[in-house]
Amino acid sequence: MKIQYFPETDTLAIELTTKSVANTDAITDDLVLDYDTEGKVVAITLDNYSQNVETVDLYALGVPLLAA
């Protein structure tokens, strides 16, 4: 599992596996799920993170803060 935060775009990206993405589904304007060929979720992208989640200190949790 890999979790990254991009402060310039306020995006949280969660890669659950290294499997290739076969399909993408925009659940809302801010939530995107990626699926493998078996229909299992392989990645989650949350845009406008600070507006959609009770903000936690991602740095304290060890989440890499990356430049976009």
Side-chain angles (χ1 to χ4, degrees):
M1 181 184 295
K2 183 177 179 181
I3 302 172
Q4 298 174 306
Y5 177 69
F6 300 88
E8 289 81 11
T9 58
D10 194 23
T11 300
L12 185 71
I14 304 169
E15 185 179 299
L16 302 169
T17 179
T18 57
K19 288 186 175 183
S20 298
V21 175
N23 191 21
T24 299
D25 190 12
I27 305 302
T28 67
D29 288 343
D30 294 335
L31 178 63
V32 176
L33 300 180
D34 293 325
Y35 303 91
D36 65 11
T37 56
E38 297 175 356
K40 295 181 180 178
V41 176
V42 296
I44 302 166
T45 303
L46 182 59
D47 292 322
N48 300 307
Y49 170 77
S50 63
Q51 296 173 17
N52 286 299
V53 176
E54 183 176 330
T55 305
V56 296
D57 186 351
L58 295 172
Y59 182 77
L61 294 175
V63 174
L65 305 179
L66 305 174

